[in-house]
């Protein structure tokens, strides 16, 4: 093995060891030794992507990525690689970009050797069986189908269409059945043979970069790399090179007006630029992105926001390639902003003109460099698989010394490099992508791959002249120096020995938990404060106003808090089912200052009418798209839509004293704070609330305390609900089959997790790989306020949801035989794998904080959950799992099933049959169909009518709070339980949307 020792620059707080190695076949390897890790990982990055697809075989590189997962000469059993990883606590994935294909996996640390052996066969002796090739084309086509109504994919392909035909940027990279099967067959082309040719031509070891992460020493890891990967073939092929600009003169000075799928208006100002990869140490695009994307007072965004024209803005380099790049300013417009496109672009050029006049400022660069240096040296550990994926990608572009740092660390001030990049941002070099539903009916062209309607027009010469000679705008200024940059990185309790959170403050108004950082030893902290407000959700008006209140808080704080975000402090304010939650994280030095500012803004909140109307606008849009409020709370979506148009700023002004009048909070402080600092903070929060200028907050009465509840399905429950998808352009149908298991209990929890671990790879293999039901096929656990369950989630154009439901039932029936055939060794391996997963260490402070906060928030307070459940797992036997499967998933008399079925436009006929018992009409509009669903009466059902008879049994079948407090009388209004109107709702795995929250 040839090897050159090169020092790799690493963060100061990084205790891991690194080494670069070069195998005899010229494969570049980065070895990472972490003796404390419980997960091993590897990533192989191949320097070939969709830019290299042959003409007429669009998507071939992506298709090859799929095929390598199937089997190899050494491991011919299909998907044995994925099965091995799942059985040992791991997973695998891959992606194809324009110029790279990246494969990666993780696995429990003890099983790295065999995992690497299986992984290496991708690049040594893969099998491309004709049968698997045919099946996987359908998977690629299904993946493409799910993207057809996603604006990000649609607009990206439109940008590619409107570029030079002679540049590979112009290509369609995903592929579908037309490009990979139908088209080639019609021309007498064998796709499988072309796949083999592509693999032999491009998968050469000298074009590959491999990163391996394990607990072993560097010497052992190097031996493993040599043993497993030296047989990867080296053809000596030169790396692909794509020179020239994708956008020629005819592609600039144009306005592209596109019709999106979602509501909203977006404006993108795009300039061909100088690739930052070539100048990463000077980072000119980063400097300009910092200024043009700034959000504090004096910034472009602050002015656009003040004018009521923009909701958000970002700026920076968009593409990463050695041959070309784009610099982009992306703006989300308000309705008013949509009418001022020319003025907005004019203001952007006024800010660019300000940068020219003020000159390149070294102090600004030094501030960027100082913050970047701080973030690099105190960066949190990420999961090993994400880490190796990033590093393998870096290895393709950066010198060995910068494999870890990549573009993260600007090194030196280069005034000329910044000037040259700034000069590119001219009106003559501009093209505009402008998207809005308002262009419907006026877009006379269609993008061929995704069907996006658009129009194309030249920018008027007079307009270019005005933009090129902008007047000065005194409200635009360079940012001030950042006072939030921390300077104190000392550790306050480096030797503290506290294993679990402890309660340090308790009163009628508050409970505060505290845990110092005893693991990560970084100058960081996390603070979470959940405010419970009895008035926040007592009516649809209250729920809407509470949500707008939380969004306006973020809006009002933005110009002040943006400096904090730049300096490594993060904060979120979000509505909850019982009030709202404030979270902060990052460096502890100035974190309390930020939280105090947030608290002051809460108690002194003044409603600004213009901002209220702007915040209300996108709020209304997202409700129509079932993304924010379709969470089965107490109130139905139609209730929100009914009250929203009539709510004004004065309503929020009147509502504020009510929401603030009675309030309590539960909080958690973790990290680099002392217990005394946490107690002082708790007292500060109470004092700020109780002495507020608007209202003197008091603790809620006991009868006002809100409890989160969910519907308890009775044994033998077999409910289903069909609905039409709201997007008339989306052919995809979706199914979620939910099996409710029970309330938090150790034995039940581990059996559920063991069932999912044992079954999920079989689910993927049978329903996705063999039956090809769709690209999205998932079996996963659900946890709703402590109530556990399992859910199948499948998206498909091949079968309608009832048909998919039947395939799930067939799978569950056949799974008994798979369980019965499990040998004792296989069963024990699954148990041990689950034990390893449960004992996996937290990677960083926020991950640890989130784990403990979940226990606090739900009320279980089982801080030793992992250890306790591991102890139970060690007593579990195979018969326990069989009994659990029979009771919870097989036996119709004991299991509790809910099937939610969302029908895409490809299956409208089937939905009509489901709704009307075969009385189908010729054509049903999905929106009209949903209106019909909402008015149907509640009927008893056993998979034969659309709605379960739940009303009578609700009062007796409510899962009580974790603390087993007395169940309240439930409200009568339950006619919209379990209603879903779009596949988005099905995939919000973190949202409590699959049960009714009964308060």
């Amino acid at each position: 093995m040839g090897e050159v020792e090169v020092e790799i620059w690493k963060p100061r707080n990084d205790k891991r060891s690194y080494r670069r190695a070069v195998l005899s076949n010229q494969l570049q390897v980065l070895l990472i030794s972490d003796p404390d890790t419980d997960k091993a990982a590897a990533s192989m990055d191949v320097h070939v992507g969709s830019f290299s697809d042959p003409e007429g075989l669009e998507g071939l590189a992506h298709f090859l990525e799929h095929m390598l997962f199937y089997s190899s000469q050494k491991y011919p059993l299909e998907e044995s690689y994925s099965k091995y990883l799942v059985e040992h606590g791991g997973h695998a994935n891959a992606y194809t970009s324009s110029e790279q294909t990246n494969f990666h996996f993780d696995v429990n640390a003890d099983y790295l050797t065999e995992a690497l052996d299986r992984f290496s066969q991708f690049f040594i002796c893969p099998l491309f069986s004709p049968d698997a090739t045919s099946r996987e084309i359908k998977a690629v086509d299904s993946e493409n189908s799910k993207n057809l109504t996603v604006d990000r994919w649609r607009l990206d392909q439109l940008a590619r269409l409107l570029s030079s035909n002679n540049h590979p940027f112009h290509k369609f990279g995903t592929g579908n059945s037309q490009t990979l099967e139908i088209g080639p067959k019609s021309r007498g082309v064998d796709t499988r043979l072309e796949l083999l040719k592509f693999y032999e031509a491009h998968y050469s070891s000298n074009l590959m970069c491999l990163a391996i992460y394990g607990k072993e020493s560097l010497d052992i890891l190097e031996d493993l790399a040599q043993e497993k990967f030296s047989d990867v073939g080296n053809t000596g092929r030169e790396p692909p090179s794509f020179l020239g600009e994708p956008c020629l003169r005819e592609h600039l000075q144009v306005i592209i007006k596109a019709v999106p799928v979602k509501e909203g208006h977006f404006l993108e100002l795009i300039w061909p630029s100088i690739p930052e990869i070539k100048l990463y140490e000077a980072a000119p695009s980063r400097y300009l992105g910092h200024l043009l994307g700034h959000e504090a007072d004096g910034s472009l965004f602050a002015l656009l926001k003040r004018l009521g024209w923009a909701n958000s803005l970002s700026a920076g380099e968009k593409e990463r390639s050695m041959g070309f790049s784009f610099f982009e300013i992306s703006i989300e417009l308000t309705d008013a902003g949509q009418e001022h496109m020319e003025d907005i672009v004019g203001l952007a050029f006024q800010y660019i003109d300000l940068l020219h006049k003020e000159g390149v400022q070294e102090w600004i660069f030094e501030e960027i460099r100082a913050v970047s240096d701080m973030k690099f040296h105190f960066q949190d550990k990420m999961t090993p698989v994400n880490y190796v994926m990033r590093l393998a990608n870096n290895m393709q572009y950066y010198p060995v010394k910068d494999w870890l740092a990549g573009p993260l660390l600007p090194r030196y001030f280069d005034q000329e490099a910044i000037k040259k990049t700034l000069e590119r941002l001219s009106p003559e070099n501009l093209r505009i992508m402008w998207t809005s539903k308002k262009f419907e009916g006026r877009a006379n062209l269609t993008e061929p791959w995704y069907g996006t309607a658009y129009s194309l027009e030249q920018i008027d010469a007079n307009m270019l002249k005005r933009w090129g000679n902008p007047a000065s705008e005194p409200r635009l200024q360079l940012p001030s120096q950042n006072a939030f940059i921390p300077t104190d990185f000392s550790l306050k309790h480096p030797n503290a020995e506290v294993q679990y959170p402890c309660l340090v403050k308790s009163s009628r108004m508050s409970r505060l938990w505290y845990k110092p950082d005893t693991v990560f030893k970084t100058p960081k902290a996390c603070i979470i404060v959940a405010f419970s407000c009895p008035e926040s959700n007592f009516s649809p008006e209250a729920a809407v106003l509470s949500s707008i209140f939380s969004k306006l808080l973020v809006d009002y704080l933005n110009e002040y808090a943006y400096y904090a975000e730049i300096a490594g402090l993060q904060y979120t304010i979000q509505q909850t089912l019982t009030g709202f939650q404030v979270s902060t994280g990052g460096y502890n030095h100035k974190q309390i200052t930020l939280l105090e500012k947030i608290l002051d803004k809460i108690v002194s909140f003044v409603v600004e009418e213009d901002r209220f109307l702007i915040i209300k606008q996108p709020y209304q849009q997202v409700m129509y798209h079932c993304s924010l409020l379709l969470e089965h709370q107490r109130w139905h979506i139609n209730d929100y839509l009914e009250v929203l148009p009539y709510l004004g700023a004065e309503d929020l002004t009147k509502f504020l004293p009510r929401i603030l009048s009675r309030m309590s909070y539960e909080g958690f402080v973790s990290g680099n704070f002392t217990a005394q600092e946490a107690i002082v903070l708790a007292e500060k929060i109470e004092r700020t609330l109780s002495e507020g200028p608007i209202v003197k907050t008091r603790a809620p009465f006991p009868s006002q305390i809100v409890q989160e509840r969910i519907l308890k399905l009775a044994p033998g429950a077999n409910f289903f609900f069909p609905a039409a998808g709201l997007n008339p352009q989306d052919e995809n149908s979706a199914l979620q089959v939910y099996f409710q298991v029970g309330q938090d209990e150790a034995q039940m929890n581990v059996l559920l997790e063991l069932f999912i671990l044992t079954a999920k790879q079989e689910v993927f293999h049978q329903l996705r790989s063999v039956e090809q039901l769709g690209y999205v096929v998932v079996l996963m656990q659900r946890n709703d306020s402590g109530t556990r369950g399992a859910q199948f989630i499948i998206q498909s154009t091949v079968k309608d949801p009832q048909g998919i439901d039947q395939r799930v039932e067939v799978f569950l029936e056949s799974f008994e035989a798979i369980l019965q055939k499990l040998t004792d060794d296989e069963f024990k391996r699954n148990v041990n794998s689950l034990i390893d997963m449960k004992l996996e260490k937290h990677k960083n402070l926020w991950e640890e904080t989130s784990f403990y906060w979940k226990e606090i928030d739900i009320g279980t307070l089982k801080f030793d959950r992992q250890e306790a459940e591991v102890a139970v797992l060690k007593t579990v036997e195979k018969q326990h799992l069989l009994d659990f499967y029979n009771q919870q998933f097989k036996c119709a008399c004991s299991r509790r099933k809910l099937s939610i079925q969302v029908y895409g436009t490809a299956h409208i006929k089937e939905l009509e049959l489901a709704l009307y018992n075969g009385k189908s009409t010729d054509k049903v509009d999905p929106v009209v169909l949903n209106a019909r669903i909402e008015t149907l009466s509640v009927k008893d059902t056993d998979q034969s009518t659309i709605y379960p008879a739940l009303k009578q049994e609700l009062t007796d079948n409510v899962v009580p709070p974790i603390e087993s407090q007395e169940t309240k009388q439930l409200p009568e209004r339950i006619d919209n339980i379990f209603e879903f109107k779009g596949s988005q709702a099905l995939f919000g795995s973190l949202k409590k949307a699959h049960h009714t929250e009964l308060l």
Side-chain angles (χ1 to χ4, degrees):
M1 183 193 307
E3 181 180 337
V4 178
E5 287 290 342
V6 178
E7 182 182 1
I8 300 172
W9 198 13
K10 71 175 188 176
R12 285 191 293 270
N13 70 337
D14 190 346
K15 307 303 181 187
R16 295 167 291 197
S17 301
Y18 298 86
R19 179 186 295 170
R20 178 245 193 167
V22 183
L23 305 188
S24 56
N25 56 2
Q26 298 304 302
L27 175 63
Q28 297 267 358
V29 184
L30 174 59
L31 309 166
I32 306 122
S33 174
D34 181 1
D36 296 325
T37 191
D38 37 38
K39 271 284 195 290
S43 175
M44 180 75 88
D45 199 275
V46 187
H47 198 152
V48 65
S50 59
F51 276 6
S52 299
D53 286 342
E55 194 68 34
L57 282 165
E58 292 83 1
L60 192 66
H62 178 217
F63 179 42
L64 175 57
E65 169 224 303
H66 278 238
M67 286 300 302
L68 291 179
F69 279 80
Y70 265 88
S71 57
S72 63
Q73 291 178 20
K74 187 172 184 179
Y75 298 101
L77 186 63
E78 275 193 12
E79 295 181 353
S80 60
Y81 164 71
S82 299
K83 187 173 187 293
Y84 178 84
L85 294 178
V86 169
E87 289 175 348
H88 295 91
H91 82 291
N93 212 334
Y95 67 83
T96 303
S97 65
S98 297
E99 299 181 57
Q100 293 167 270
T101 306
N102 186 285
F103 303 86
H104 44 273
F105 75 85
D106 67 359
V107 71
N108 289 339
D110 290 336
Y111 303 98
L112 175 62
T113 300
E114 184 171 342
L116 280 176
D117 191 57
R118 292 172 178 272
F119 185 54
S120 67
Q121 304 308 307
F122 281 34
F123 315 102
I124 297 173
C125 54
L127 293 178
F128 300 105
S129 73
D131 178 59
T133 302
S134 176
R135 280 185 280 126
E136 200 57 26
I137 287 175
K138 295 177 183 176
V140 171
D141 188 66
S142 179
E143 181 179 355
N144 180 66
S145 294
K146 80 175 178 62
N147 296 333
L148 291 178
T149 55
V150 179
D151 284 324
R152 178 173 63 86
W153 289 93
R154 293 164 65 89
L155 298 175
D156 177 74
Q157 192 60 44
L158 177 57
R160 294 174 185 275
L161 173 73
L162 300 175
S163 65
S164 171
N165 293 350
N166 297 321
H167 196 284
F169 181 77
H170 185 78
K171 292 183 177 181
F172 167 55
T174 305
N176 58 25
S177 59
Q178 180 64 43
T179 66
L180 295 172
E181 185 173 40
I182 299 170
K185 275 186 180 178
S186 69
R187 301 190 304 272
V189 174
D190 187 326
T191 301
R192 180 173 173 273
L193 290 180
E194 294 300 319
L195 192 72
L196 292 168
K197 290 179 188 176
F198 190 90
Y199 179 82
E200 293 297 330
H202 295 283
Y203 274 56
S204 177
S205 58
N206 69 308
L207 302 182
M208 299 179 183
C209 292
L210 172 66
I212 301 176
Y213 190 114
K215 66 179 183 178
E216 296 81 0
S217 69
L218 289 175
D219 288 340
I220 292 175
L221 290 174
E222 189 169 344
D223 289 342
L224 277 174
Q226 168 77 7
E227 176 189 345
K228 305 301 181 185
F229 293 91
S230 289
D231 289 338
V232 178
N234 181 10
T235 64
R237 185 181 181 89
E238 289 295 315
S241 178
F242 306 100
L243 301 177
E245 294 281 358
C247 292
L248 307 178
R249 179 56 58 189
E250 62 264 30
H251 305 115
L252 303 176
Q253 301 178 27
V254 296
I255 300 177
I256 306 159
K257 297 179 180 178
V259 180
V261 173
K262 286 189 176 183
E263 295 289 344
H265 321 291
F266 295 88
L267 185 67
E268 296 177 359
L269 313 182
I270 304 164
W271 295 269
S273 187
I274 302 169
E276 188 88 338
I277 294 175
K278 296 179 178 180
L279 301 167
Y280 73 96
E281 293 181 307
S285 288
R286 186 162 179 183
Y287 174 94
L288 295 173
H290 170 76
L291 294 173
L292 286 164
H294 215 281
E295 298 183 16
D297 189 43
S299 67
L300 172 62
F301 175 63
L303 178 54
L304 293 176
K305 191 173 115 177
R306 193 169 297 124
L307 292 168
W309 293 349
N311 288 319
S312 66
L313 181 148
S314 61
E317 187 179 44
K318 184 180 180 182
E319 297 282 338
R320 186 170 84 157
S321 171
M322 292 296 289
F324 68 93
S325 103
F326 296 105
F327 189 94
E328 177 181 301
I329 300 176
S330 179
I331 308 169
E332 181 189 359
L333 304 175
T334 63
D335 285 346
Q338 174 70 10
E339 306 303 320
H340 288 273
M341 183 276 288
E342 293 181 24
D343 297 321
I344 291 170
V345 178
L347 286 172
F349 278 114
Q350 286 181 22
Y351 200 93
I352 290 169
D353 186 59
L354 172 71
L355 298 182
H356 281 291
K357 289 176 178 176
E358 293 287 340
V360 179
Q361 303 284 315
E362 186 170 4
W363 75 265
I364 294 176
F365 177 85
E366 288 302 323
E367 191 172 90
I368 295 169
R369 189 192 60 74
V371 170
S372 300
D373 188 73
M374 175 189 70
K375 290 181 178 179
F376 177 73
H377 287 293
F378 291 106
Q379 64 183 282
D380 291 331
K381 264 189 177 181
M382 62 177 67
T383 59
V385 67
N386 286 335
Y387 194 46
V388 294
M389 183 166 52
R390 188 181 83 182
L391 297 183
N393 184 284
N394 282 352
M395 292 166 69
Q396 296 282 10
Y397 292 105
Y398 300 102
V400 175
K401 69 181 179 68
D402 287 329
W403 277 357
L404 305 191
L408 300 178
L409 284 178
R411 309 294 168 76
Y412 58 85
F413 178 61
D414 188 336
Q415 188 178 49
E416 288 306 310
I418 296 172
K419 279 184 177 180
K420 286 180 181 178
T421 302
L422 180 60
E423 286 167 3
R424 291 287 191 108
L425 309 186
S426 68
E428 294 73 26
N429 207 31
L430 171 71
R431 75 174 186 167
I432 295 174
M433 178 80 78
W434 188 9
T435 62
S436 173
K437 286 276 194 180
K438 290 196 171 184
F439 299 140
E440 282 183 315
R442 291 183 282 163
N444 59 337
L445 301 169
T446 303
E447 190 279 320
W449 298 109
Y450 289 84
T452 305
Y454 74 97
S455 65
L456 183 66
E457 58 190 62
Q458 291 294 128
I459 299 176
D460 180 74
N462 292 327
M463 194 184 302
L464 288 172
K465 187 176 180 180
R466 286 197 302 273
W467 290 343
N469 298 282
S472 295
E473 170 52 70
R475 291 172 291 182
L476 294 175
Q477 302 170 8
L478 294 179
S480 304
Q481 292 189 342
N482 193 340
F484 270 103
I485 297 176
T487 55
D488 182 1
F489 301 107
S490 61
L491 301 182
K492 299 188 177 181
H493 35 68
N495 299 315
E497 294 297 333
V498 179
Q499 188 175 6
Y500 300 122
C502 55
L503 190 64
V504 295
K505 175 77 167 62
S506 181
S507 70
R508 280 191 61 202
M509 184 178 279
S510 66
R511 291 207 308 176
L512 187 75
W513 299 82
Y514 165 75
K515 182 187 179 299
D517 172 18
T518 58
V519 178
F520 309 105
K521 309 295 177 65
T522 63
K524 296 182 179 182
C526 300
I527 303 172
I528 303 175
V529 185
F531 294 95
S532 181
C533 315
E535 297 280 342
S536 67
N537 197 40
F538 78 96
S539 70
E541 291 92 342
V544 171
L545 289 171
S546 296
S547 182
I548 295 177
F549 167 65
S550 65
K551 293 177 185 302
L552 279 172
L553 270 175
V554 176
D555 186 71
Y556 292 171
L557 285 161
N558 190 64
E559 291 181 24
Y560 172 85
Y562 187 73
Y563 283 108
E565 290 191 43
I566 290 174
L569 281 175
Q570 303 85 39
Y571 77 102
T572 61
I573 303 171
Q574 60 191 37
Q575 184 188 23
T576 65
L577 292 171
T578 58
F580 62 96
Q581 179 174 300
V582 176
S583 304
T584 62
Y587 300 97
N588 62 278
H589 182 202
K590 301 184 180 181
Q591 190 170 156
I592 289 181
T593 303
L594 174 62
L595 183 61
E596 288 174 344
K597 179 68 174 181
I598 295 171
L599 291 171
D600 289 341
K601 183 61 72 174
I602 290 171
V603 299
S604 60
F605 192 90
V606 176
V607 183
E608 298 173 16
E609 184 169 1
D610 58 338
R611 296 308 300 165
F612 178 92
L613 295 174
I614 289 168
I615 291 294
K616 177 182 168 182
Q617 171 200 331
Y619 179 87
Q620 187 171 6
Q621 291 168 1
V622 293
M623 286 201 304
Y624 275 110
H625 287 83
C626 312
S627 58
L628 281 186
L629 288 185
L630 198 63
E631 289 188 339
H632 287 286
Q633 302 176 27
R634 190 170 186 170
W635 310 106
H636 186 268
I637 183 71
N638 284 349
D639 297 329
Y640 297 120
L641 295 176
E642 183 179 338
V643 303
L644 187 59
Y646 304 103
L647 293 177
E650 67 281 1
D651 296 296
L652 183 55
T653 300
K654 293 174 184 176
F655 178 66
L656 275 174
R658 297 178 61 181
I659 195 174
L660 296 177
S661 63
R662 295 283 174 179
M663 204 157 62
S664 62
Y665 77 85
E666 184 149 37
F668 182 31
V669 174
S670 68
N672 197 34
F673 285 124
T674 65
Q676 186 58 37
E677 285 176 313
I679 293 170
V680 170
L681 175 62
E683 293 170 346
K684 168 73 173 177
I685 296 172
E686 277 201 36
R687 190 165 58 251
T688 302
L689 294 174
S690 60
E691 299 174 1
I694 296 176
V695 65
K696 312 302 182 188
T697 302
R698 298 293 179 262
F701 295 109
S703 60
Q704 288 182 297
I705 296 174
V706 180
Q707 299 288 351
E708 292 184 30
R709 309 243 180 119
I710 65 165
L711 182 69
K712 180 180 180 181
L713 300 180
N718 191 28
F719 303 130
F720 84 112
F721 184 80
L726 282 183
N727 184 356
Q729 300 178 43
D730 195 349
E731 295 186 345
N732 289 283
S733 292
L735 172 78
Q736 182 212 17
V737 180
Y738 170 70
F739 293 93
Q740 192 177 83
V741 174
Q743 207 167 4
D744 188 53
E745 188 273 321
Q747 174 96 358
M748 179 204 72
N749 293 347
V750 300
L751 285 172
L752 174 61
E753 292 173 27
L754 193 57
F755 167 78
I756 290 174
L757 176 67
T758 307
K760 68 179 181 180
Q761 185 57 36
E762 299 293 341
V763 168
F764 185 86
H765 174 70
Q766 181 60 37
L767 301 184
R768 183 192 180 279
S769 299
V770 176
E771 298 187 28
Q772 288 290 323
L773 293 182
Y775 182 73
V776 177
V777 177
V778 179
L779 169 62
M780 62 189 296
Q781 186 184 178
R782 252 202 104 69
N783 184 349
D784 294 283
S785 301
T787 296
R788 306 296 183 98
Q791 57 185 358
F792 293 79
I793 297 174
I794 302 173
Q795 180 175 299
S796 178
T797 56
V798 177
K799 280 187 177 292
D800 69 278
Q802 274 202 353
I804 305 171
D805 187 285
Q806 292 167 6
R807 299 313 305 162
V808 170
E809 291 290 357
V810 170
F811 171 81
L812 285 172
E813 187 69 27
S814 66
F815 188 65
E816 182 175 19
I818 296 173
L819 283 179
Q820 293 283 8
K821 289 179 182 177
L822 274 181
T823 66
D824 290 341
D825 284 345
E826 289 171 330
F827 176 78
K828 195 65 178 174
R829 187 165 63 231
N830 286 345
V831 170
N832 290 335
S833 176
L834 186 54
I835 288 173
D836 289 341
M837 291 163 66
K838 285 187 170 295
L839 294 180
E840 185 177 339
K841 302 181 186 78
H842 300 298
K843 300 297 180 294
N844 52 61
L845 179 64
W846 180 248
E847 192 176 295
E848 180 189 81
T849 301
S850 299
F851 172 82
Y852 289 129
W853 175 248
K854 186 175 182 181
E855 296 292 332
I856 294 168
D857 189 37
I858 292 176
T860 47
L861 304 181
K862 294 179 181 177
F863 299 131
D864 64 343
R865 174 181 299 279
Q866 303 299 64
E867 295 83 357
E869 292 186 352
V870 164
V872 173
L873 259 174
K874 290 178 179 178
T875 68
V876 169
E877 298 177 358
K878 179 181 170 182
Q879 190 58 48
H880 294 144
L881 182 58
L882 280 165
D883 293 343
F884 179 83
Y885 155 78
N886 282 319
Q887 181 180 9
Q888 303 293 347
F889 297 97
K890 181 185 176 185
C891 181
C893 63
S894 59
R895 72 180 190 177
R896 296 176 284 182
K897 177 185 175 183
L898 167 65
S899 177
I900 298 165
Q901 304 168 359
V902 177
Y903 288 73
T905 54
H907 301 119
I908 288 299
K909 288 286 187 182
E910 289 83 351
L911 175 57
E912 296 176 48
L913 292 171
L915 287 171
Y916 303 114
N917 299 318
K919 297 176 182 177
S920 174
T921 57
D922 290 335
K923 184 177 182 182
V924 179
D925 177 61
V927 177
V928 174
L929 208 50
N930 271 318
R932 292 184 193 171
I933 293 169
E934 292 165 5
T935 62
L936 290 173
S937 61
V938 177
K939 298 179 181 179
D940 200 355
T941 182
D942 183 14
Q943 292 284 61
S944 60
T945 59
I946 80 152
Y947 210 80
L950 298 176
K951 190 168 186 176
Q952 186 62 43
E953 55 185 296
L954 267 178
T955 303
D956 299 324
N957 288 330
V958 178
V959 177
I962 295 296
E963 299 166 55
S964 299
Q965 297 179 11
E966 185 179 354
T967 301
K968 297 179 184 177
Q969 179 68 26
L970 299 178
E972 283 297 309
R973 190 186 181 289
I974 47 83
D975 55 312
N976 287 302
I977 294 170
F978 302 133
E979 185 169 359
F980 282 76
K981 292 208 169 50
S983 57
Q984 282 188 349
L986 294 179
F987 298 101
S989 61
L990 297 180
K991 295 183 179 180
K992 299 172 182 176
H994 304 289
H995 292 77
T996 296
E997 308 292 339
L998 301 171
L999 307 180

